[in-house]
């Protein structure tokens, strides 16, 4: 699949790159890195997003050039769609009339592209974009290195999650050699929060509950709590990590009321439990250990249904052996 993508780039000139609404570190870092790669190959390329660049990523090289628009307004030779589960995720309707290259590392993605390059072994799409640069003989500049590093750093939960492999560290090591500055990037991404985010985190964590097994924890946020703290939806990112830091907890949910009973739900789990399947049931997607979906619903009904499915996911998860590895049925 990588070969078809490099062929396409070699044969064409005019490209756009996009990712999902409310782009995260991998969506943005990979898009910006690919933009630098295409430009270094003397291609016409731009990053086009429906939503603005979150504060945490404003310092990434090229972030200020991202075009924030409600839709695409011209024809490209190809549009690269980075880490999206389906063609509607970027929120750009005119994608339907473009030649689309779907680049993703999620197992739950639809093969919606004219070309689909999917590598579920990659910790982040950043790894794939880095491999693309190498395959095309592109010199890894500090700009490319910084953007790919941001993608790896955020999608691996600062190298905490089980998608972190030897290859991830090998690439991260190369990136530092090529000019990515780990402390500077971590500082920009994780130590520049607004005051309101931490106030909101306090309010949300005070709603923490656990089920009778102690294995499932959940938190909730009302729209009122978000408004009272002066925080934005972006400020709610990352709060879901806290319930999962409880020793016994294996799966966690965060119910966010955005408006009009619209709930954005984040699901997280420790290694053996698969929450992607739970998210898919509710029309979303994601990874085995980090998934989500958005729904208009009544809170009591929604939380009851989600928690029941999380319980089943924990109950059905494979057992672990003494080394912490899954015991696979023969
Ligand atoms: P979040 O909890 O929003 O940070 O999302 C965690 C993971 O789930 C990410 O990898 C997302 O790509 C995926 N995800 C979240 N919401 C959706 C959705 N509505 N559709 C598909 N994937 C989603
Ligand atoms: Mn990703």
């Amino acid at each position: 699949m990588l070969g078809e993508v490099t062929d396409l780039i070699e044969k064409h000139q005019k490209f756009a790159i996009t990712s999902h609404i409310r782009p995260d570190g991998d969506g943005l870092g990979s898009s910006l890195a690919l933009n630098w790669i295409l430009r270094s190959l003397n291609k016409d390329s731009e990053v086009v997003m429906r939503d603005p660049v979150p504060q945490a990523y404003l310092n990434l090289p090229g972030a200020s050039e991202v075009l924030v628009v409600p839709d695409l307004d011209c024809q490209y030779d190809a549009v690269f769609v980075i880490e999206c589960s389906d063609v509607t995720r970027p929120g750009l309707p005119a994608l339907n009339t473009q030649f689309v290259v779907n680049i993703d590392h999620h197992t739950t993605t639809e093969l919606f592209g004219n070309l689909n390059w999917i590598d579920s072994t990659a910790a982040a799409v950043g790894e794939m974009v880095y491999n693309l640069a190498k395959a095309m003989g592109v010199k890894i500049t500090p700009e490319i290195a910084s953007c790919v590093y941001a993608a790896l750093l955020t999608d691996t939960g600062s190298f905490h999650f089980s998608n972190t492999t030897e290859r991830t560290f090998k690439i991260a090591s190369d990136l530092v050699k090529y000019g990515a500055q780990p402390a500077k990037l971590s500082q920009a991404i994780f130590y520049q929060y607004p005051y309101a985010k931490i106030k909101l985190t306090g309010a949300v964590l005070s709603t923490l509950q656990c089920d009778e097994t102690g294995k499932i924890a959940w938190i909730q946020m009302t729209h009122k709590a978000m408004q009272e703290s002066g925080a934005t939806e972006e400020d709610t990112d990352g709060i879901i990590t806290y319930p999962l830091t409880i020793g016994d907890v294996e799966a966690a949910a965060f119910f966010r009321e955005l408006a009009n009973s619209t709930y954005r739900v984040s699901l997280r789990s420790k290694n053996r439990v698969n929450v992607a399947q739970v998210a898919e049931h509710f029309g979303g997607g994601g990874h085995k250990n980090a998934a989500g979906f958005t729904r208009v619903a009544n809170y009591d009904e929604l939380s009851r249904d989600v928690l029941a499915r999380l319980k089943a996911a924990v109950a059905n998860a494979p057992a672990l052996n003494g080394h912490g590895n899954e015991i696979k049925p023969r």
Side-chain angles (χ1 to χ4, degrees):
M1 247 15 266
L2 173 58
E4 290 180 55
V5 177
T6 58
D7 267 7
L8 174 99
I9 294 171
E10 274 161 13
K11 293 193 179 117
H12 294 88
Q13 183 60 29
K14 187 179 173 186
F15 300 103
I17 305 158
T18 191
S19 186
H20 48 84
I21 49 168
R22 299 188 328 94
D24 60 7
D26 190 25
L28 263 170
S30 299
S31 296
L32 293 171
L34 181 55
N35 199 39
W36 288 112
I37 291 164
L38 292 171
R39 287 183 178 182
S40 81
L41 292 164
N42 292 317
K43 305 291 176 179
D44 301 319
S45 169
E46 54 195 13
V47 178
V48 184
M49 299 273 181
R50 214 279 309 267
D51 287 340
V53 176
Q55 162 75 29
Y57 307 112
L58 281 175
N59 289 326
L60 286 181
S64 61
E65 285 181 59
V66 171
L67 290 175
V68 180
V69 290
D71 205 352
L72 301 172
D73 64 358
C74 64
Q75 204 60 33
Y76 298 91
D77 295 335
V79 180
F80 295 93
V81 177
I82 305 287
E83 69 151 20
C84 287
S85 50
D86 64 78
V87 76
T88 67
R89 280 279 282 162
L92 303 170
L95 265 180
N96 279 321
T97 63
Q98 303 277 346
F99 186 94
V100 166
V101 184
N102 168 13
I103 306 185
D104 198 3
H105 67 134
H106 292 77
T107 50
T108 55
T109 187
E110 285 175 17
L111 300 180
F112 59 83
N114 299 89
L115 273 184
N116 298 282
W117 178 26
I118 316 297
D119 180 358
S120 59
T121 70
V125 174
E127 274 194 22
M128 301 169 69
V129 168
Y130 178 80
N131 291 336
L132 174 75
K134 286 286 188 186
M136 298 199 77
V138 169
K139 178 174 178 283
I140 309 294
T141 59
E143 286 81 11
I144 298 174
S146 301
C147 294
V148 173
Y149 188 93
L152 291 187
L153 180 70
T154 54
D155 251 32
T156 59
S158 302
F159 306 105
H160 291 192
F161 300 157
S162 55
N163 58 351
T164 310
T165 63
E166 184 195 354
R167 187 175 67 186
T168 317
F169 283 115
K170 174 77 180 65
I171 294 176
S173 161
D174 287 351
L175 296 171
V176 175
K177 184 176 73 190
Y178 293 127
Q181 295 179 270
K184 194 175 150 206
L185 288 162
S186 296
Q187 180 79 26
I189 296 171
F190 300 119
Y191 292 84
Q192 299 274 358
Y193 295 151
Y195 179 82
K197 177 183 171 85
I198 305 306
K199 288 296 274 185
L200 177 68
T201 302
V204 170
L205 289 182
S206 70
T207 70
L208 175 69
Q209 285 179 270
C210 261
D211 76 337
E212 66 286 353
T213 66
K215 290 182 179 171
I216 294 166
W218 65 99
I219 49 179
Q220 63 158 304
M221 183 195 78
T222 59
H223 191 234
K224 191 160 160 268
M226 187 164 89
Q227 283 179 320
E228 281 174 0
S229 64
T232 62
E233 185 185 348
E234 183 184 322
D235 293 327
T236 64
D237 287 344
I239 303 180
I240 180 67
T241 309
Y242 290 102
L244 209 63
T245 61
I246 301 168
D248 289 337
V249 167
E250 297 209 53
F254 180 15
F255 299 91
R256 264 164 285 201
E257 187 189 20
L258 300 178
N260 312 326
S261 299
T262 300
Y263 284 88
R264 202 180 124 208
V265 181
S266 286
L267 304 173
R268 298 289 186 273
S269 61
K270 288 182 183 150
N271 294 346
R272 68 191 189 100
V273 178
N274 187 338
V275 289
Q277 285 170 356
V278 178
E280 274 184 273
H281 173 83
F282 292 97
H287 304 272
K288 184 179 169 196
N289 298 132
F293 65 92
T294 299
R295 272 222 162 181
V296 178
N298 164 281
Y299 177 74
D300 290 337
E301 284 171 22
L302 180 67
S303 58
R304 190 192 57 215
D305 293 351
V306 170
L307 296 173
R309 290 206 170 251
L310 281 183
K311 263 186 199 175
V314 170
N316 296 332
L320 297 181
N321 66 20
H323 302 288
N325 297 320
E326 288 178 6
I327 300 169
K328 298 234 162 58
R330 281 173 200 271

